[in-house]
């Protein structure tokens, strides 16, 4: 039977997440503070043409998630794409992408904590670092409890974010149609009145695409969380199947409202896209409302960052690619050591962000291209896995299949490589690309050394009934 690292000997993760929680986790995974605040950078780059940037990014992410769904539905695993890469490409691939992904989410902890600290600190008139640490401790505590605690917190966080977006879209549509009394903006003039749809030229769409791709990071979390639910295959299929309309509604819909009502070069966009649009609509208390929404969003992302980082390093430990203690499970069925270790490194990063901002800048740069590297690895893994299955004659067992294989898979890989090349060309992105690739190169070398010292035992590949993934053999 295909091996599930989350249910290996030495204890098992509990199946405590409910279907409604998995659904909300999948929604919350793609709604971060970047939507409410960070999308202003993409708008400044591409103007109204940012809609094309988000549309292209959405298509690419949907394709990658379809590939991941093919593998995850066949064999749910808390290590997700890291485990699949380990089996399809080699131990070095699973090791390197697993640690890169862990690092990405460990760094998300200080990023979200700093924003939360600023919002709470300004309201309470206290130093921002105090609430920043308090939020980390609180959410680490929820992750140390049974997994259902994380799921319940994330359920309500995600629900509040969804309600905020739905409310914003309703107000925005009313303003565009001229149905919102007292609104200071209406119609679609913002799409062409200030230099046209592409005021900075067609190349600007590529610059906006980089921000859009990073904004969608988090869609894959559901394949990690679903491994701790009672019906992982059904939950993965349901959650990923709805990614298309969620991306379209939440991101493209929101950005459409903003660029329609607010000139792309308006200075108030720097404070936040939603806030700028609400102020144009003359919505009272827009600033306070958005502070609350952003606070919920960053707490949600921080909560998920601790959860995701801990599960990834737990999976690595169970495969012998991280300290063994990180693969242990507490009495309540949660990987406490992995949670504490991931949170601890995140807390150190918070300290660095306040004490040595220059060093923290380089730390953040090291994670700048990880999302794109992850997407590329998922595509390469699916391509290798599917071809191996086709050669063995087990392809028919797949319950979910990537569209137009292998053509769309290869096309997606080429597109992602093109985006990485764009990062190399654009001056503002070169530092992030170079540091991220440098870190990736180091991990790949370490992974190759580990693989050579402890290679897989060559046994006949086997596929469990009803699944499509084979394990190369025990280590």
């Amino acid at each position: 039977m295909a091996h599930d690292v989350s249910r290996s000997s030495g204890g098992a993760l509990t199946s405590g997440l409910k279907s409604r929680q998995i659904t909300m986790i999948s929604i919350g995974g793609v709604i971060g503070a970047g939507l409410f605040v960070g999308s202003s950078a993409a708008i400044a780059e591409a103007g109204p043409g940012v809609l094309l940037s988000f549309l292209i990014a959405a298509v690419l992410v949907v394709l990658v998630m379809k590939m991941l769904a093919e593998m995850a539905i066949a064999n749910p695993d808390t290590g997700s794409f890291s485990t699949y890469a380990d089996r399809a490409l080699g131990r070095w691939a699973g090791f390197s992408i697993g640690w890169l992904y862990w690092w990405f989410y460990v760094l998300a902890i200080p990023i979200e904590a700093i924003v939360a600290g600023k919002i709470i600190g300004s309201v309470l008139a206290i130093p921002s670092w105090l609430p920043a640490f308090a939020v980390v401790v609180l959410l680490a505590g929820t992750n140390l409890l049974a997994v259902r605690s994380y799921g319940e917190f994330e359920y309500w966080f995600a629900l509040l974010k969804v309600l905020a977006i739905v409310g914003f879209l309703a107000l925005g549509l009313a303003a565009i149609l001229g149905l919102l009394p007292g609104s200071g903006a209406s119609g679609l003039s913002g799409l062409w009145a200030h230099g046209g749809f592409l005021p900075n030229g067609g190349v600007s769409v590529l610059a906006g695409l980089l921000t859009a791709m990073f904004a969608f990071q988090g869609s894959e979390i559901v394949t990690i969380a679903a491994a701790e639910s009672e019906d992982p295959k059904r939950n993965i299929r349901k959650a990923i199947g709805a990614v298309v309309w969620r991306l379209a509604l939440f991101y493209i819909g929101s950005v459409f409202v903003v660029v329609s009502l607010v000139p792309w070069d308006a200075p108030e966009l720097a404070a936040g896209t939603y806030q700028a649009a609400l102020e144009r609509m003359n919505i009272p208390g827009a600033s306070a409302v958005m502070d609350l929404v952003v606070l919920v969003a960053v707490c949600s992302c921080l909560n998920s960052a601790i959860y995701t980082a801990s599960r990834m390093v737990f999976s690595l430990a169970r495969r012998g690619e991280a300290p063994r203690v990180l693969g242990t499970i507490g009495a309540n069925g949660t990987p406490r050591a992995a949670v504490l270790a991931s949170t601890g490194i995140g807390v150190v990063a918070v300290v660095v962000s306040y004490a040595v901002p220059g060093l923290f800048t380089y730390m953040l740069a090291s994670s700048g291209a990880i999302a794109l590297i992850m997407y590329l690895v998922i595509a390469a893994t699916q391509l290798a896995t599917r071809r191996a299955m086709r050669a063995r004659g087990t392809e028919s067992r797949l319950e979910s299949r990537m569209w137009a294989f292998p053509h769309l898979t290869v096309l997606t890989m080429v597109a992602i490589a093109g985006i990485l090349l764009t990062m190399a060309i654009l001056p503002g992105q070169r530092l992030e690309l170079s540091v991220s690739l440098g870190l990736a190169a180091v991990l790949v070398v370490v992974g190759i050394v580990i693989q050579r010292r402890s290679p897989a035992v060559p046994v006949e590949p086997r596929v469990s009934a009803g699944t499509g993934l084979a394990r190369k053999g025990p280590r």
Side-chain angles (χ1 to χ4, degrees):
M1 184 171 183
H3 179 63
D4 182 351
V5 295
S6 67
R7 291 170 172 80
S8 305
S9 59
L13 296 176
T14 57
S15 300
L17 292 176
K18 300 176 181 178
S19 180
R20 66 177 177 85
Q21 293 172 332
I22 292 293
T23 299
M24 280 300 179
I25 288 171
S26 68
I27 294 175
V30 294
I31 307 174
L35 172 61
F36 304 110
V37 180
S39 53
S40 59
I43 294 174
E45 290 278 5
V50 74
L51 288 169
L52 295 178
S53 302
F54 274 90
L55 180 60
I56 295 170
V59 170
L60 288 174
V61 172
V62 167
L63 291 174
V64 172
M65 288 305 105
K66 182 63 176 177
M67 297 177 211
L68 185 56
E70 177 181 292
M71 298 181 287
I73 292 172
N75 189 9
D77 192 291
T78 197
S80 187
F81 52 86
S82 173
T83 301
Y84 309 145
D86 179 288
R87 295 168 183 167
L89 303 178
R91 191 173 188 182
W92 66 270
F95 171 87
S96 55
I97 196 60
W99 278 111
L100 281 172
Y101 191 70
W102 173 83
W103 180 241
F104 181 94
Y105 273 103
V106 161
L107 286 184
I109 295 174
I111 293 172
E112 310 301 344
I114 290 168
V115 176
K118 287 180 179 179
I119 295 174
I120 298 174
S122 64
V123 173
L124 301 180
I126 59 176
S128 61
W129 63 267
L130 285 173
F133 282 107
V135 169
V136 173
V137 172
L138 173 63
L139 294 178
T142 67
N143 275 271
L144 287 170
L145 300 175
V147 69
R148 62 177 177 271
S149 299
Y150 157 73
E152 200 62 22
F153 265 79
E154 193 55 32
Y155 175 83
W156 290 106
F157 280 148
L159 181 60
L160 289 172
K161 288 190 288 186
V162 168
L163 291 176
I165 293 173
V166 170
F168 175 78
L169 291 176
L171 288 172
L173 182 60
I176 289 172
L177 296 176
L179 302 177
L180 187 64
S183 175
S186 63
L188 302 173
S189 60
L191 294 177
W192 58 78
H194 298 267
F197 186 71
L198 293 171
N200 297 324
V203 177
S204 64
V205 173
L206 294 177
L209 178 60
L210 295 174
T211 302
M213 287 294 295
F214 299 138
F216 291 146
Q217 170 77 6
S219 305
E220 74 291 337
I221 292 176
V222 66
T223 63
I224 296 173
E228 293 183 72
S229 66
E230 293 182 356
D231 192 353
K233 292 187 178 184
R234 175 179 175 275
N235 288 325
I236 292 173
R237 184 183 295 108
K238 179 181 177 183
I240 293 186
V243 164
V244 178
W245 69 263
R246 287 174 190 151
L247 292 177
L249 176 64
F250 297 147
Y251 277 90
I252 300 177
S254 295
V255 173
F256 172 77
V257 168
V258 173
V259 296
S260 295
L261 299 177
V262 184
W264 69 272
D265 54 354
E268 59 263 34
L269 277 174
T273 49
Y274 267 49
Q275 183 174 324
L278 290 173
E279 288 177 350
R280 288 273 171 164
M281 297 181 224
N282 288 327
I283 302 299
S287 179
V289 170
M290 285 314 305
D291 280 346
L292 178 60
V293 171
V294 171
L295 179 60
V296 170
V298 297
C299 286
S300 171
C301 290
L302 202 161
N303 191 39
S304 288
I306 295 173
Y307 172 83
T308 306
S310 65
R311 267 46 178 191
M312 184 55 70
V313 79
F314 167 80
S315 174
L316 288 165
R318 282 297 176 96
R319 303 200 306 264
E321 294 162 1
R324 185 175 300 178
V325 67
L326 300 179
T328 58
I329 295 176
N332 61 354
T334 60
R336 290 185 176 181
V339 171
L340 289 172
S342 298
T343 305
I345 299 299
V347 168
V348 170
V350 174
V351 174
V352 171
S353 71
Y354 285 105
V356 193
L359 175 60
F360 186 65
T361 299
Y362 278 92
M363 291 171 66
L364 291 183
S366 70
S367 68
I370 289 178
L372 291 171
I373 296 171
M374 176 195 70
Y375 293 147
L376 194 58
V377 169
I378 290 174
T381 300
Q382 189 267 338
L383 182 66
T385 301
R386 186 76 170 272
R387 282 179 171 172
M389 290 176 61
R390 182 170 289 180
R392 293 193 303 267
T394 57
E395 189 177 18
S396 60
R397 296 182 182 181
L398 285 173
E399 299 176 44
S400 173
R401 299 189 186 192
M402 174 60 185
W403 306 300
F405 178 84
H407 309 296
L408 276 182
T409 298
V410 174
L411 183 61
T412 302
M413 293 174 68
V414 171
I416 295 172
I419 296 173
L420 288 169
L421 179 60
T422 300
M423 289 186 70
I425 295 173
L426 296 177
Q429 302 291 332
R430 288 174 187 165
L431 175 63
E432 292 188 353
L433 179 64
S434 59
V435 179
S436 295
L437 291 181
L439 176 61
V442 170
L443 288 171
V444 167
V445 170
V446 174
I448 291 173
V449 171
I450 291 175
Q451 179 172 300
R452 287 179 176 176
R453 289 182 176 179
S454 181
V457 178
V459 297
E460 197 63 28
R462 56 189 185 271
V463 182
S464 61
T467 68
L469 296 181
R471 180 168 173 79
K472 294 180 179 179
R475 293 192 167 82

